């Protein structure tokens, strides 16, 4: 099979705060979500890891993720295409509080009706009022999918909190273990199994996410590194290119 690059096409939507893309790839992909997102698989079958479990999706399946959630593809049966809609965390959490949702629903699951309507409205280029109604219903439905099964255990939650709070500061494994109330050996194992990557990799992605936010706000690339806990411009460029796929300068010019 010929390999193709990941392709992301931005879709025009009339509802403020909503972002929609058509995403295609035949590569295995791993990443950390920045917003609440709902994807509908249009083509292809794959297996992917999230929340400590491997899921199998096919056309029509709905995939859910919240800010900071890690997604990792395990296998892919040919090229895949999905339509993805995303909301800012504030839009969801003002209505429902922080939501830990089930990562996937089957195409025929009745609990997915509101999300299917939203995707249909995006696909049909619905007008603003129709799309705003679909968004409101989808956000309300997210709360009903809340499931404590997919919430990290208390030590891992406390570790995540510390990493977010001290994003720009040096953090040691002993710091994390003390804050989590768990010895560092068990914490490393629990963190990787529940989050999907080790603490240092998660912290790096948090830092690059913050760098993207600063760049979008107009901060110069040369001023970013110390604000996100990285040593220098070189380290920022290296991690940014690996995770985002481009340099901070090019990213800044495109936002």
């Amino acid at each position: 099979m010929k390999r193709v690059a990941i392709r992301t096409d931005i879709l025009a939507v009339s509802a403020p705060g909503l972002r929609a893309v058509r995403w295609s790839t035949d590569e295995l992909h791993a990443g950390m979500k920045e917003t609440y997102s709902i994807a509908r698989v249009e083509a292809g079958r794959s297996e992917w890891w999230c929340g400590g479990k491997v899921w199998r999706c096919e056309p029509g399946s709905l995939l859910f993720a919240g800010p900071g959630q890690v997604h990792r593809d395990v296998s892919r049966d040919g090229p895949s295409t999905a339509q993805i809609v995303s909301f800012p965390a504030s839009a969801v959490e003002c209505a429902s509080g922080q939501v830990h949702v089930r990562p996937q629903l089957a195409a025929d699951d009745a609990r997915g009706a509101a999300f299917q309507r939203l995707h249909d409205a995006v696909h049909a280029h619905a007008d603003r009022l129709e799309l705003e109604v679909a968004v409101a219903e989808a956000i309300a439905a997210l709360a009903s999918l809340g499931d404590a099964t997919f919430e990290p255990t208390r030590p891992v939650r406390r570790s995540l909190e510390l990493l977010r709070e001290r994003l720009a500061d040096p953090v040691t494994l002993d710091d994390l273990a003390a804050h989590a109330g768990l010895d560092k050996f068990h914490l490393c194992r629990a963190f990787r199994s529940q989050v999907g990557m080790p603490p240092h990799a998660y912290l790096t992605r948090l830092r690059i996410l913050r760098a993207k936010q600063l760049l979008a706000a107009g901060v110069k690339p040369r001023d970013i590194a110390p604000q996100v806990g990285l040593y220098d411009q070189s380290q920022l460029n290296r991690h940014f290119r690996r995770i985002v796929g481009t340099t901070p300068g090019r990213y800044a010019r495109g936002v």
Side-chain angles (χ1 to χ4, degrees):
M1 180 177 64
K2 182 180 178 181
R3 288 175 65 88
V4 298
I6 292 173
R7 176 171 177 173
T8 303
D9 297 317
I10 298 175
L11 305 177
V13 290
S14 54
L18 181 71
R19 184 173 188 266
V21 301
R22 183 180 173 86
W23 185 88
S24 302
T25 188
D26 64 0
E27 299 178 338
L28 297 181
H29 173 73
M32 186 174 78
K33 298 300 182 183
E34 302 176 16
T35 60
Y36 285 94
S37 67
I38 305 165
R40 182 168 70 182
V41 179
E42 296 182 350
R45 289 172 170 79
S46 65
E47 294 184 336
W48 61 292
W49 181 98
C50 186
K53 178 180 175 180
V54 174
W55 304 82
R56 293 172 176 82
C57 65
E58 58 186 15
S61 298
L62 294 166
L63 282 56
F64 303 88
Q69 191 168 342
V70 174
H71 166 122
R72 185 175 68 251
D73 288 334
V74 176
S75 66
R76 190 177 302 286
D77 182 12
S80 296
T81 300
Q83 180 173 277
I84 305 171
V85 294
S86 305
F87 324 102
S90 58
V92 174
E93 292 171 6
C94 284
S96 307
Q98 189 174 16
V99 179
H100 295 276
V101 296
R102 180 182 178 84
Q104 181 175 312
L105 291 177
D108 59 355
D109 194 313
R111 293 173 294 177
F115 312 113
Q116 299 284 7
R117 288 196 298 270
L118 173 59
H119 275 285
D120 289 343
V122 169
H123 183 74
H125 307 289
D127 64 28
R128 177 168 175 169
L129 179 58
E130 181 180 351
L131 200 52
E132 285 179 333
V133 170
V135 168
E137 290 179 340
I139 289 175
L142 274 176
S144 68
L145 286 182
D147 191 334
T149 303
F150 302 104
E151 184 175 351
T153 57
R154 185 175 185 274
V156 174
R157 287 201 311 273
R158 287 183 60 81
S159 298
L160 292 168
E161 291 166 0
L162 186 66
L163 291 175
R164 295 183 187 116
E165 290 169 1
R166 294 181 51 181
L167 179 149
D169 302 322
V171 179
T172 69
L173 183 55
D174 286 337
D175 293 335
L176 280 182
H179 190 75
L182 187 67
D183 73 81
K184 60 186 178 183
F185 306 104
H186 286 90
L187 177 62
C188 284
R189 184 170 61 185
F191 196 103
R192 186 187 288 270
S193 67
Q194 295 175 41
V195 177
M197 58 179 63
H200 65 277
Y202 191 86
L203 178 58
T204 297
R205 286 188 176 268
L206 286 178
R207 287 169 166 168
I208 296 305
L209 171 57
R210 180 57 180 154
K212 290 172 66 178
Q213 294 169 342
L214 291 171
L215 290 167
V219 179
K220 299 297 183 184
R222 64 175 178 270
D223 298 327
I224 297 288
Q227 298 186 50
V228 298
L230 296 175
Y231 295 121
D232 54 25
Q233 184 73 31
S234 175
Q235 188 183 39
L236 171 66
N237 287 345
R238 183 171 69 256
H239 288 311
F240 201 98
R241 183 188 290 274
R242 175 175 58 84
I243 292 171
V244 182
T246 188
T247 65
R250 290 197 187 98
Y251 181 84
R253 291 191 291 272
V255 295

